[in-house]
């Protein structure tokens, strides 16, 4: 029966009466709007799906801080191709871990996972179509944010998508998100994946290092789809601009902001 019907996830654990009580609204008014609790839960699914976040995205300020710490620890010369390559490699290695931990511990991720499972168990009809469309919009927004993050960092470090691959940052973000989500899902039942490290040099850096599994996945995507931008000239001014970028505090994070 399970193989035929599938496992279902829903909102049965939420009491409609408890919702009404905690909301502090009139029970009569609620039942006037939703005569049956199933109607309320249908609207709730639509609302959750439309505002769902597939994962907690690391914000721009955190990315700048991470890049700043990598630059501060770097002993290479940023005016040389190998020096910049080593910085990119190290950034991929350490940022993948922080992204993985953020997603793995994200309540938004678990809600999104439950919504996906709930959607798959809904019968054909308007509700299923509405939830599917809402989840798709949420997914597109999230991948868009990830693509913007990859583009900002890659551009700052003088990299671009390889023209011969036909890939842009949205595709790169889609692949990176899929790899991240797959490993996070595996880690739910195998937490040791969080701590697993592999001595490797997937990017051709000056020296090998201990890489996480998601770091290896991110490095593979970056190596396949990114290359140094030949139009970028790395001189003292460019290096200074990069360091200024990572030390600049966004206005909303300033004191009193």
């Amino acid at each position: 029966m399970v193989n035929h019907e599938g496992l279902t996830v829903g909102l049965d654990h939420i009491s409609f009466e408890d919702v009404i009580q905690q909301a502090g609204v009139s029970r009569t008014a609620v039942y006037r709007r939703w005569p049956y609790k199933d109607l309320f839960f249908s609207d709730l699914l639509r609302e959750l799906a439309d505002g769902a976040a597939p994962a907690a995205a690391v914000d721009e300020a955190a990315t700048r801080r991470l890049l700043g710490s990598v630059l501060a620890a770097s002993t290479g010369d940023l005016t040389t191709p190998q020096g910049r390559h080593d910085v990119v490699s190290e950034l991929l290695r350490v940022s993948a871990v922080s992204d993985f931990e953020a997603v793995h511990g994200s309540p938004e991720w678990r809600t999104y996972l439950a919504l996906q499972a709930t959607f798959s168990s809904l019968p054909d009809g308007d509700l299923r179509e509405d939830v599917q469309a809402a989840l798709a919009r949420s997914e597109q927004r999230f991948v868009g944010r990830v693509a913007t993050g990859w583009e900002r960092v890659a551009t700052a470090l003088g990299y671009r998508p390889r023209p011969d691959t036909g890939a842009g940052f949205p595709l790169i973000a889609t692949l990176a998100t899929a790899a991240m989500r797959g490993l996070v899902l595996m880690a739910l039942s195998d937490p040791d994946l969080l701590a697993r490290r592999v001595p490797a040099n997937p990017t051709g850096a000056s020296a090998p290092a201990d890489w996480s599994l998601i770091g290896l996945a991110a490095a593979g995507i970056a190596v396949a789809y990114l290359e140094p931008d030949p139009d970028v000239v790395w001189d003292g001014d460019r290096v200074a601009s990069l360091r200024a970028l990572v030390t600049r505090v966004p206005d909303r994070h300033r004191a009193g902001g």
Side-chain angles (χ1 to χ4, degrees):
M1 287 180 65
V2 168
N3 285 336
H4 179 71
E5 302 287 345
L7 290 172
T8 61
V9 178
L11 299 170
D12 293 340
H13 64 290
I14 297 178
S15 164
F16 191 29
E17 293 296 328
D18 287 347
V19 171
I20 296 172
Q21 183 179 0
Q22 291 192 34
V25 295
S26 164
R27 190 173 183 274
T28 301
V30 170
Y31 275 95
R32 187 180 301 119
R33 179 166 181 177
W34 295 288
Y36 306 100
K37 68 177 183 180
D38 288 349
L39 297 176
F40 169 77
F41 286 125
S42 293
D43 281 352
L44 177 57
L45 273 179
R46 291 184 175 94
E47 186 75 14
L48 288 171
D50 202 40
V58 177
D59 62 27
E60 182 182 352
T63 300
R64 285 183 181 175
R65 288 194 295 270
L66 188 59
L67 177 54
S69 66
V70 170
L71 288 174
S74 173
T75 58
D77 183 356
L78 287 177
T79 62
T80 68
Q82 187 62 48
R84 295 191 298 275
H85 186 77
D86 287 348
V87 168
V88 172
S89 179
E90 181 63 8
L91 183 63
L92 284 167
R93 191 179 75 87
V94 298
S95 65
V97 174
S98 61
D99 289 348
F100 189 47
E101 291 174 347
V103 174
H104 184 264
S106 167
E108 293 91 345
W109 155 251
R110 297 179 186 273
T111 298
Y112 185 79
L113 188 64
L115 282 168
Q116 288 281 8
T118 300
F119 156 72
S120 67
S121 68
L122 293 175
D124 291 339
D126 291 343
L127 178 59
R128 181 184 177 88
E129 292 177 1
D130 290 347
V131 172
Q132 181 180 23
L135 287 173
R137 289 193 297 270
S138 297
E139 189 75 54
Q140 290 167 3
R141 289 195 297 267
F142 179 75
V143 171
R145 293 198 300 273
V146 174
T148 298
W150 273 76
E151 183 173 9
R152 284 174 176 166
V153 173
T155 301
L157 292 170
Y159 278 70
R160 70 176 187 182
R162 294 182 182 274
D164 57 339
T165 64
F169 287 106
L171 176 58
I172 292 172
T174 298
L175 295 174
T177 299
M180 172 76 73
R181 201 165 298 165
L183 281 169
V184 169
L185 188 60
M186 293 172 67
L188 294 177
S189 58
D190 185 4
D192 289 343
L193 290 177
L194 287 167
R196 186 175 177 185
R197 298 293 183 271
V198 178
N201 190 359
T203 61
S206 296
D210 289 338
W211 285 75
S212 66
L213 298 187
I214 188 57
L216 290 173
I221 293 170
V223 168
Y225 291 105
L226 294 178
E227 68 176 10
D229 189 338
D231 294 330
V232 174
V233 177
W234 282 93
D235 53 19
D237 290 341
R238 174 84 188 192
V239 172
S241 296
L242 175 60
R243 296 191 182 279
L245 173 67
V246 299
T247 56
R248 188 174 73 243
V249 179
D251 291 340
R252 63 179 178 276
H253 294 291
R254 295 185 188 278

